[in-house]
Amino acid sequence: MALAPSIGIDLLRMPAKGTPSRWRESDSSLISVKMVYADRATMLKAVDEIRQLLGESIVSVDSDDLDEHGYSEWSTSNTDVRPVAVVRPQTTEEVSSIARICTKYKVPIIPYGAGSSVEGNFSCPHSGVCLDLSGMDRIVAFHPEDMDIVVQAGVNWTNMNEEIKNTGLFLPLDPSPTALIVLSDGSVIKTRHRPRKTSAGYNLTGLFTGSEGTLGIITEATLKLAIIPENFSVATATFSTVKEAADAAFKMMRRGIPLAALEMMDDVQMKVINQSGGAGGRLWDEHPTLFLKFSGSQNAVQDSIKSAKEIAKSNSCRSFEFAKTEDEMQSLWSARKQALWANLAVRPEGTQIWSTDVAVPLSRMAELIEISKQKASELGLYNSVLGHVGDGNFHQVVMYNPHDKTERQAVSDCVDGMMVRALAMEGTVSGEHGIGLGKKHCLQKELGPATIGIMKAIKDTLDPQ
Amino acid sequence: MALAPSIGIDLLRMPAKGTPSRWRESDSSLISVKMVYADRATMLKAVDEIRQLLGESIVSVDSDDLDEHGYSEWSTSNTDVRPVAVVRPQTTEEVSSIARICTKYKVPIIPYGAGSSVEGNFSCPHSGVCLDLSGMDRIVAFHPEDMDIVVQAGVNWTNMNEEIKNTGLFLPLDPSPTALIVLSDGSVIKTRHRPRKTSAGYNLTGLFTGSEGTLGIITEATLKLAIIPENFSVATATFSTVKEAADAAFKMMRRGIPLAALEMMDDVQMKVINQSGGAGGRLWDEHPTLFLKFSGSQNAVQDSIKSAKEIAKSNSCRSFEFAKTEDEMQSLWSARKQALWANLAVRPEGTQIWSTDVAVPLSRMAELIEISKQKASELGLYNSVLGHVGDGNFHQVVMYNPHDKTERQAVSDCVDGMMVRALAMEGTVSGEHGIGLGKKHCLQKELGPATIGIMKAIKDTLDPQ
């Protein structure tokens, strides 16, 4: 088996043991070798074996199912290849059995979660078996007294939060403390124990969770929970330019205002939301807008809103609104939540969405957004921006015609240009989306051969096939 | 070179490439082989080469210096072996050269930071060269506008906070986003770029920072900074039992009171502080005490104190004090800060301190503290407890006579018993101290051979010697 072969196929040939410099930039042994996977007939044989061992119902070869697991309309890195089968395990033991069989027959296995990835993270250029974990949606153990919860990999976090909300706890998307991992050969490890803190051994949790399924398959995770704040409020502030909005946001951060969320949408994104008829039926001012979320005690929230408003005003904001009721709060925040769906809803017939993200040091974000918008606009293409300002991370969405080769190439160049500019600012080519197939070439540019060599060596050690 | 051989010496023999099951529990190839390091003469030859390349002043063979770098009075896992030399590089390039030379001669190299580790993390059972990074204390670049700072590995964080405090920023001890690492063979990698968020490639920062110097030497780190809160306040609450104190602490957490710190000291620790004459000259009630730190806007801090006091009272606290002035705040908090030094100050002539820590799920902490105190007291030994309650993590300090073999064994058994009980509660054998030499055998118990096998495979890949 090779986990998520999109990253794993260019294997590092390892020289004799004991040569310490095998990952070095200058090392001539660092060449790419093509891994040979099973042919289609052998893959189907493996699928038969899975069927025999785990039952008919676990395997699907339905062509629509295969399509949905090898292609998505929000990914820009789809290939024409499809998996030979989709398998839907329900337990760690079943995942382990599937991995063992796939290893035996050299069948690539592609872990699949919710299918939301946009960089071809679940594309399968060498076919293989798609391992859909969405059926593993059980809460294994809930420990409110320890403020943690053990869940299977396919649990939907909003459903989970709904289910446990009467305990006053929720998942604030903090990193998970421990995970059960199935390795490429089917063996199962637990990365660490359950306490909220540990310094026992290497941080395997962090290594596996950041690996997009290429080092091992997470089947179970223990998540740290936080307390649902007693009060929430949201506010929006509109500015004439992205720079003014970003400046105000950074001033709020530097003032130390505790913000539960700090998001920015540009003029085009606000227009998209109006066009899609979303956000509580109201029409928004079509200018760069900050979305602020405050939480804490009633007094703390009031202090925060007061300070945020002062800063927004002193930064020439066009308007500052805060929600006085729960309904108003829902209405204000819904505009933020609907951003992606709004883009999908209003795109012209036949166009596709190219969604990408980068992150840069805070002080460079506004500049990079403005250049990126300008470059996309010069192509005459509809493009919008949504920024997670507190991280210096933003998404740009460009609508283009995938059948127009020139246009496709132009968008691709435009996105590449954004990566290059982000790197020149000491930024990263991916704040959230991961690497997948889509940003493989950019990762090389970002980290260079020495660091990539270390990553390849780890991959090769943990998943030699 | 072998980095920090205390973990690295039991190498995993790697079978032929392509055997996917090499780390499995049942795999008979998972045997320990003894690595042969250079003899003393060869080690001295390597030191000569370092001297010739980097100058006389970088190398020390002073016997007091060697002792201080191979032994510490707060470690329980000292060996009799000392390094052949201490080297003090000032740049990443110098670290790289030293590593390259040590690799050539198979000389173990032991990275040394501030010497604060208690589990023999810088012991050198096979001798070697101690790489003291304390001279690498430069701030490389400070970016207040990006809220980050790039520092060399030896920078003292309290000095650094003092130096940058006029910008309103400080290091809240959040994980570092990026690091420059020197690998065992002297090659240098940068784990990632500088933004506050990334999803580009494997999380090498987390892997190396958690490895106690066994996978590579961190020479430079970029640290995320936070905003110094506009208001601070501290309070103490005293209870009759550890259980009452812990219960009150958890209720404060569950109420969602934003606590900047939440610490507990037991009756003995309070007595130690009184005996050592510390803490602003005042005498403390010698009962289990919570130390609380609040931060935020003035109203937020007042709300927090009010809620914390309510909970403490309803949990039968003996007293609740909060600081009304800066001086009172310093005085209250100084008791917490002086805990370790107070223990060292009051221990009887000829005794040593055995300091250990574990972490367990929150709900089990009070129970484990009470059992651990009882077990140590049954030995007739002075012992105190300090807990980081928010993490379910606590330290126990036992004073014993190291020359009394029976007493030493009894303390060792007592500490081992605490580990076993922590593991039975799904806890970890080390919340903060790391593994070093002292807890190697416990790590095996905690994680088992499959997970340890993965760690060994990674070690072997990155540092084959």
Side-chain angles (χ1 to χ4, degrees):
Chain A
M1 179 182 75
L3 293 164
S6 51
I7 283 196
I9 53 163
D10 294 328
L11 286 177
L12 173 68
R13 189 165 62 79
M14 304 288 269
K17 190 163 170 296
T19 310
S21 59
R22 63 189 179 223
W23 53 74
R24 287 196 319 194
E25 188 172 346
S26 59
D27 191 334
S28 63
S29 72
L30 203 161
I31 55 162
S32 289
V33 291
K34 192 82 176 175
M35 189 72 208
V36 179
Y37 296 116
D39 58 20
R40 187 178 159 79
T42 312
M43 288 188 190
L44 290 172
K45 198 170 160 198
V47 171
D48 263 344
E49 199 165 316
I50 292 168
R51 213 181 258 124
Q52 277 159 34
L53 184 69
L54 302 176
E56 191 70 41
S57 64
I58 212 169
V59 175
S60 162
V61 292
D62 174 82
S63 67
D64 286 349
D65 215 2
L66 300 184
D67 274 349
E68 279 163 23
H69 286 76
Y71 171 89
S72 87
E73 60 173 328
W74 44 85
S75 169
T76 48
S77 303
N78 293 301
T79 71
D80 292 335
V81 186
R82 298 287 172 265
V84 295
V86 175
V87 294
R88 294 184 165 85
Q90 298 208 309
T91 65
T92 299
E93 293 67 34
E94 286 178 354
V95 175
S96 172
S97 299
I98 293 162
R100 211 178 49 242
I101 292 168
C102 287
T103 287
K104 191 168 82 177
Y105 292 103
K106 293 195 196 298
V107 177
I109 185 159
I110 303 97
Y112 179 101
S116 59
S117 56
V118 298
E119 294 294 348
N121 314 63
F122 63 81
S123 289
C124 51
H126 303 275
S127 190
V129 166
C130 180
L131 188 82
D132 183 335
L133 295 155
S134 59
M136 291 181 64
D137 59 355
R138 276 191 315 112
I139 292 176
V140 179
F142 177 35
H143 309 107
E145 69 287 6
D146 297 324
M147 294 174 61
D148 69 45
I149 190 164
V150 185
V151 297
Q152 285 191 310
V155 160
N156 175 297
W157 66 274
T158 49
N159 294 350
M160 183 193 83
N161 278 346
E162 190 58 31
E163 202 159 319
I164 65 174
K165 74 176 177 191
N166 67 341
T167 62
L169 295 168
F170 79 121
L171 174 70
L173 293 184
D174 213 49
S176 58
T178 175
L180 216 55
I181 311 269
V182 170
L183 297 166
S184 57
D185 67 341
S187 54
V188 179
I189 63 164
K190 186 170 181 171
T191 53
R192 45 159 290 194
H193 277 209
R194 191 158 64 85
R196 295 172 85 80
K197 186 199 252 175
T198 185
S199 61
Y202 298 161
N203 181 359
L204 296 183
T205 309
L207 181 65
F208 283 101
T209 50
S211 74
E212 302 181 28
T214 62
L215 297 180
I217 301 161
I218 299 172
T219 61
E220 198 177 294
T222 303
L223 307 169
K224 280 197 233 181
L225 300 173
I227 305 298
I228 300 174
E230 49 173 325
N231 297 283
F232 270 116
S233 190
V234 301
T236 57
T238 310
F239 299 83
S240 298
T241 66
V242 163
K243 178 142 183 32
E244 279 174 5
D247 281 353
F250 294 138
K251 281 181 189 157
M252 290 174 199
M253 290 171 69
R254 288 299 294 273
R255 179 77 66 86
I257 301 173
L259 293 160
L262 172 56
E263 309 275 43
M264 180 170 64
M265 295 202 263
D266 73 346
D267 51 335
V268 179
Q269 184 62 52
M270 296 310 293
K271 190 182 291 182
V272 164
I273 285 167
N274 282 341
Q275 283 177 341
S276 74
R282 59 170 284 180
L283 276 186
W284 293 82
D285 187 8
E286 294 175 359
H287 280 92
T289 303
L290 290 181
F291 288 76
L292 310 162
K293 190 181 262 188
F294 310 96
S295 66
S297 72
Q298 211 155 9
N299 282 322
V301 167
Q302 276 173 11
D303 285 352
S304 297
I305 293 178
K306 188 164 163 276
S307 300
K309 190 171 181 175
E310 267 172 32
I311 291 171
K313 296 248 167 202
S314 73
N315 238 52
S316 335
C317 77
R318 300 166 56 94
S319 67
F320 185 95
E321 281 187 65
F322 74 95
K324 290 178 201 70
T325 65
E326 177 77 19
D327 276 357
E328 276 184 30
M329 189 170 95
Q330 296 293 348
S331 160
L332 284 185
W333 204 249
S334 64
R336 157 67 190 90
K337 280 198 177 162
Q338 292 179 21
L340 175 64
W341 310 119
N343 278 298
L344 286 167
V346 303
R347 71 192 156 136
E349 178 86 20
T351 61
Q352 262 189 11
I353 282 178
W354 193 308
S355 167
T356 189
D357 86 313
V358 294
V360 289
L362 298 179
S363 64
R364 310 301 299 271
M365 197 192 71
E367 183 189 346
L368 185 56
I369 289 178
E370 286 185 340
I371 300 174
S372 304
K373 281 169 60 73
Q374 189 199 326
K375 294 286 175 190
S377 298
E378 282 169 8
L379 295 174
L381 296 175
Y382 214 74
N383 71 96
S384 65
V385 165
L386 188 159
H388 308 306
V389 187
D391 299 320
N393 171 218
F394 68 92
H395 304 261
Q396 185 176 32
V397 168
V398 185
M399 295 175 196
Y400 71 107
N401 178 353
H403 304 296
D404 180 335
K405 268 200 170 172
T406 320
E407 198 161 297
R408 195 189 161 90
Q409 189 58 46
V411 179
S412 174
D413 293 347
C414 188
V415 169
D416 272 351
M418 178 164 142
M419 308 286 158
V420 169
R421 278 183 286 274
L423 291 180
M425 294 173 173
E426 296 184 70
T428 176
V429 299
S430 179
E432 294 183 337
H433 288 182
I435 297 301
L437 280 182
K439 289 186 173 170
K440 229 175 130 177
H441 61 297
C442 310
L443 187 66
Q444 302 270 0
K445 281 183 206 151
E446 176 166 339
L447 297 177
T451 305
I452 298 275
I454 292 293
M455 294 181 182
K456 283 187 171 182
I458 291 171
K459 167 72 177 168
D460 191 43
T461 298
L462 300 185
D463 181 15
Q465 286 191 31
Chain B
M1 179 184 76
L3 293 165
S6 52
I7 283 197
I9 54 164
D10 295 328
L11 287 177
L12 173 68
R13 190 164 61 79
M14 304 288 268
K17 192 161 168 298
T19 310
S21 59
R22 64 191 178 219
W23 54 73
R24 286 198 318 195
E25 188 172 347
S26 59
D27 191 333
S28 63
S29 72
L30 203 161
I31 55 163
S32 290
V33 290
K34 191 84 172 176
M35 189 71 207
V36 179
Y37 296 116
D39 57 21
R40 185 177 161 79
T42 312
M43 287 187 191
L44 289 171
K45 199 171 158 197
V47 172
D48 263 344
E49 199 165 316
I50 292 168
R51 213 180 258 124
Q52 277 160 33
L53 185 70
L54 302 175
E56 191 70 42
S57 65
I58 212 169
V59 176
S60 162
V61 292
D62 175 82
S63 67
D64 285 350
D65 214 3
L66 300 183
D67 274 350
E68 278 163 22
H69 286 76
Y71 171 89
S72 88
E73 62 174 325
W74 44 86
S75 169
T76 49
S77 303
N78 293 301
T79 71
D80 292 334
V81 187
R82 297 288 172 266
V84 295
V86 175
V87 295
R88 293 184 165 86
Q90 297 206 313
T91 65
T92 299
E93 293 68 34
E94 287 178 352
V95 175
S96 171
S97 298
I98 294 162
R100 210 178 50 242
I101 293 168
C102 287
T103 287
K104 190 167 83 177
Y105 291 103
K106 293 194 195 297
V107 177
I109 186 161
I110 304 97
Y112 180 101
S116 59
S117 56
V118 299
E119 294 295 348
N121 313 63
F122 62 82
S123 290
C124 52
H126 303 275
S127 189
V129 165
C130 179
L131 188 82
D132 183 335
L133 296 155
S134 59
M136 291 181 63
D137 59 355
R138 276 192 314 112
I139 292 176
V140 178
F142 177 34
H143 309 107
E145 70 285 7
D146 298 324
M147 293 174 60
D148 70 44
I149 190 165
V150 185
V151 297
Q152 284 191 309
V155 160
N156 175 296
W157 66 275
T158 50
N159 295 349
M160 184 194 83
N161 278 345
E162 191 59 31
E163 203 160 318
I164 65 173
K165 76 175 178 193
N166 66 340
T167 60
L169 295 167
F170 79 122
L171 173 70
L173 293 184
D174 213 49
S176 58
T178 174
L180 214 56
I181 312 268
V182 170
L183 297 166
S184 57
D185 67 341
S187 54
V188 179
I189 63 163
K190 185 169 180 172
T191 53
R192 45 158 291 193
H193 278 208
R194 190 157 65 84
R196 295 172 85 81
K197 186 200 252 174
T198 185
S199 61
Y202 298 161
N203 180 1
L204 295 184
T205 310
L207 181 65
F208 283 101
T209 51
S211 74
E212 303 182 29
T214 63
L215 296 180
I217 301 161
I218 299 172
T219 61
E220 199 178 293
T222 303
L223 308 168
K224 280 197 234 180
L225 301 173
I227 306 298
I228 301 174
E230 48 173 328
N231 298 282
F232 271 116
S233 191
V234 302
T236 58
T238 310
F239 298 82
S240 298
T241 65
V242 163
K243 177 143 183 29
E244 278 175 6
D247 281 353
F250 295 137
K251 280 180 190 158
M252 290 174 198
M253 290 171 67
R254 288 298 295 270
R255 180 75 66 86
I257 301 174
L259 293 159
L262 173 56
E263 309 276 43
M264 179 170 64
M265 296 201 262
D266 73 346
D267 51 334
V268 180
Q269 184 62 49
M270 296 310 292
K271 188 182 291 184
V272 164
I273 285 167
N274 283 339
Q275 285 176 340
S276 74
R282 61 169 284 180
L283 277 185
W284 293 82
D285 187 8
E286 294 175 358
H287 279 92
T289 304
L290 290 181
F291 288 76
L292 310 162
K293 191 182 263 187
F294 309 96
S295 66
S297 73
Q298 211 154 9
N299 282 324
V301 167
Q302 277 173 11
D303 284 352
S304 297
I305 293 178
K306 187 163 164 274
S307 300
K309 189 172 182 173
E310 267 172 32
I311 291 170
K313 296 247 167 202
S314 74
N315 236 55
S316 333
C317 76
R318 302 166 55 94
S319 68
F320 185 94
E321 279 187 69
F322 74 95
K324 290 178 203 70
T325 65
E326 176 78 18
D327 276 357
E328 275 183 31
M329 190 170 93
Q330 295 293 349
S331 161
L332 284 184
W333 203 250
S334 64
R336 158 66 191 92
K337 280 197 178 165
Q338 292 179 20
L340 175 64
W341 311 120
N343 278 298
L344 287 167
V346 305
R347 71 194 155 132
E349 178 86 20
T351 61
Q352 263 189 11
I353 283 178
W354 193 308
S355 167
T356 190
D357 86 313
V358 294
V360 289
L362 298 178
S363 65
R364 309 301 298 272
M365 197 191 71
E367 183 188 347
L368 185 56
I369 289 178
E370 286 183 341
I371 300 173
S372 303
K373 282 169 61 71
Q374 190 199 325
K375 294 287 175 187
S377 299
E378 282 169 7
L379 295 175
L381 296 176
Y382 213 73
N383 71 94
S384 66
V385 165
L386 189 159
H388 308 306
V389 186
D391 299 319
N393 172 218
F394 67 93
H395 303 263
Q396 185 175 33
V397 167
V398 186
M399 296 176 196
Y400 72 105
N401 178 355
H403 304 296
D404 180 336
K405 270 202 167 169
T406 320
E407 198 162 296
R408 194 188 161 90
Q409 189 57 48
V411 180
S412 173
D413 292 348
C414 188
V415 170
D416 272 351
M418 180 165 141
M419 308 287 158
V420 169
R421 278 183 286 273
L423 292 179
M425 294 173 173
E426 295 185 72
T428 175
V429 299
S430 180
E432 295 183 335
H433 288 183
I435 297 301
L437 280 181
K439 288 184 173 171
K440 230 175 128 177
H441 61 296
C442 309
L443 187 67
Q444 302 271 0
K445 282 183 206 149
E446 177 166 339
L447 297 176
T451 304
I452 298 275
I454 292 292
M455 293 181 183
K456 283 188 170 180
I458 291 172
K459 166 73 177 169
D460 191 43
T461 299
L462 300 186
D463 180 15
Q465 286 191 31

